[in-house]
Structure formats: structure tokens, C-alpha cells
Amino acid sequence: MADTAMSDSGSGTGELGTGAFEGGGGPLQTAVWRLRSRGCWADAAALLEARPGAGAALQRAALLVERCLFTEQGWPEAEEALRGAEALAKEDDERGGAACERGHLAYASTVLGVRDRADEARSALGRAAALLHPDSANRPLLDFRRGLIAEHLSDSPQSARAAYRRAHEGAAAHRKPLLLSFTWRHLAGLALREGELAEARHGFAESLRIREELGYLVGTAPALAALADAEPEPEATRLRAEASRLFHLLDGVPTWLASQLSPPAAAV
């Protein structure tokens, strides 16, 4: 079940799937981003299907992997798209990017309880680390995903924090705002686990601000719910109510958020 991999911060596993692509790059990428940000991953991937080259194939695979994380569905399609991207990858950065997606798909399968692929996840991210140049624009995403492995599969918050901080610095340097929203969020989650409420509140608020500015609708409800965990009443209830509204607007996506938004059972 998805909730087995959630940290005390309320950061569900489905929300951990930030991909390498955040829009930009002309009308096609703008259209892809708009669909992705509203949870229409299959439609976004379809726009890229006829585009040649490893870059488009990898972007399509990343979209379908993200769909798995948010909906817990579409695993065969993601696997097929990823195999296609791996076959087309020729340069080290392309092969490293494909390995990073391979590791993330295996991680998702593990934390969502589909199949234990933890060893495959670690191995694939290790290959990505060997292939990606330290200055590669894909390196911050790799660091973030290694942080996920450390936090959720290895139960090593110190290693996770170090990886998230590297990813945070890299995301800022490479101007990747969506990834920055994820690093803010997960650093805040670790702070909350340690009782650092002010630090947690700041990080969750920054994550929410970025997502609202980007129009990342599918990731806004989880950000609202996470911030609610660090806020006192009545603000916490207001934030959860807004998260619930967006969750239902998107037909229950991300699926794992349902358990966080359910009211506690009445005492007997």
C-alpha cells in the first residue's frame, strides 16, 4: 500500500515522481506541460510519440512513470516506453537519464507495493551516477531520487537530507523550479520529523508557493496537505479542506492522498 512509504511529513509516495521536464521550449513543450500539470499524462505522452530522438523518448517515458506514481496504474506502458528510450540512448547523458528513470520506476514499484524492486532501483541509480557528468542538468534530479531511496527504502534520514540538499542546490543552479518545490518539500518533511516546526513550515510554504506559481495543479493538493501538518488549527483544517477540494476536482489523483485527507475515525 502507498501509505507504507509515507513519511511523518505526509509526503506520499505518489508525489515523489518529479520528472526531468518542466515545460518551456516552444508550443509543443508548453502543451505537454499543461497536460502534465493537470494529470493528463497519457495525453501529454501522446503528443511526443511521433517525435524522433532519444530526448523525446525519454521525456515520454518520464511522463508515463509519473503517471504510475500518481495513479498506481499504467505500469506496462511505462515499462515499454522506458525500454524504447533505453534503446535510443547513445550519449552518456542520455543513457544516464534513462537509467535514472529506470531506477525511479523500480523505486515506485517498490514503495507502492506492486513488486519489490529495491535492488534494481539502487543499481539503476548507481549506473546513472556513473554516466551523468557532475555538471549535467540531470544531476539534481538524480540526487533527489537517491534521497528518496535513502529515506524510504534504506531508512537513512541523514543520507536523505544530504542528497536532498545537493539536489536543492543543483535545482536552483540549473533553474528547475518544479524540482526545487520537491526538494523544499522533502527537506521540510525531515525537519518536521525532528520537531523543527518553523523550518518545516517554511519549506512546505515555499513548495506550495512554487507549485501555485507554476500552475502545477496535480501537485498542489499534496503541498497543501503537507503544510497543514505543520500549521496549528484552524489553519490546518482550512488547508486540508482546500486540498480535499482539489483532490476531488482531479478525480482522486494522486490516489495515495485519499488516506491523508480522510477524517479520523470517531472515538468509541
Side-chain angles (χ1 to χ4, degrees):
M1 298 294 294
D3 58 0
T4 62
M6 295 178 188
S7 71
D8 293 340
S9 71
S11 55
T13 58
E15 203 270 335
L16 308 182
T18 180
F21 305 95
E22 302 176 16
L28 174 62
Q29 290 299 328
T30 298
V32 168
W33 168 251
R34 286 175 177 169
L35 289 166
R36 176 195 175 189
S37 65
R38 288 159 177 76
C40 301
W41 297 279
D43 292 338
L47 294 179
L48 298 165
E49 196 162 5
R51 301 286 292 184
L58 180 57
Q59 183 177 7
R60 183 171 178 274
L63 289 165
L64 295 176
V65 170
E66 187 170 87
R67 180 178 66 167
C68 293
L69 285 157
F70 276 78
T71 69
E72 303 180 55
Q73 297 178 357
W75 303 93
E77 294 86 350
E79 288 280 1
E80 181 181 1
L82 186 51
R83 285 194 296 269
E86 289 168 337
L88 288 171
K90 304 301 180 187
E91 303 294 331
D92 280 354
D93 205 62
E94 294 170 349
R95 292 189 293 129
C100 189
E101 290 302 325
R102 169 64 63 190
H104 199 48
L105 184 61
Y107 162 81
S109 176
T110 304
V111 297
L112 292 172
V114 177
R115 182 160 61 90
D116 187 348
R117 298 169 59 180
D119 289 343
E120 180 186 352
R122 293 186 179 96
S123 175
L125 293 186
R127 290 198 307 275
L131 288 163
L132 292 174
H133 190 275
D135 295 330
S136 169
N138 287 323
R139 194 82 190 194
L141 180 61
L142 171 62
D143 286 332
F144 175 71
R145 290 175 172 175
R146 296 181 93 175
L148 298 180
I149 294 284
E151 182 178 4
H152 294 288
L153 300 189
S154 302
D155 192 23
S156 178
Q158 290 184 339
S159 296
R161 182 180 293 103
Y164 292 152
R165 283 176 174 164
R166 290 195 302 272
H168 190 80
E169 293 171 1
H174 288 281
R175 298 182 181 179
K176 292 181 174 290
L178 182 59
L179 179 56
L180 199 62
S181 83
F182 280 86
T183 56
W184 270 122
R185 181 157 152 62
H186 286 275
L187 286 167
L190 292 176
L192 186 61
R193 288 174 61 178
E194 295 176 354
E196 300 292 340
L197 282 178
E199 182 180 345
R201 192 176 296 122
H202 174 70
F204 287 140
E206 283 297 297
S207 177
L208 176 61
R209 177 187 63 78
I210 292 170
R211 292 176 184 207
E212 289 179 335
E213 288 179 356
L214 291 175
Y216 188 51
L217 187 63
V218 76
T220 300
L224 286 163
L227 180 57
D229 288 343
E231 291 284 5
E233 296 293 354
E235 180 65 7
T237 294
R238 186 194 70 78
L239 290 166
R240 289 194 183 95
E242 179 62 13
S244 182
R245 186 188 70 81
L246 288 175
F247 176 72
H248 291 296
L249 179 66
L250 292 168
D251 296 324
V253 175
T255 54
W256 47 262
L257 191 58
S259 62
Q260 294 181 42
L261 297 176
S262 300
V268 178

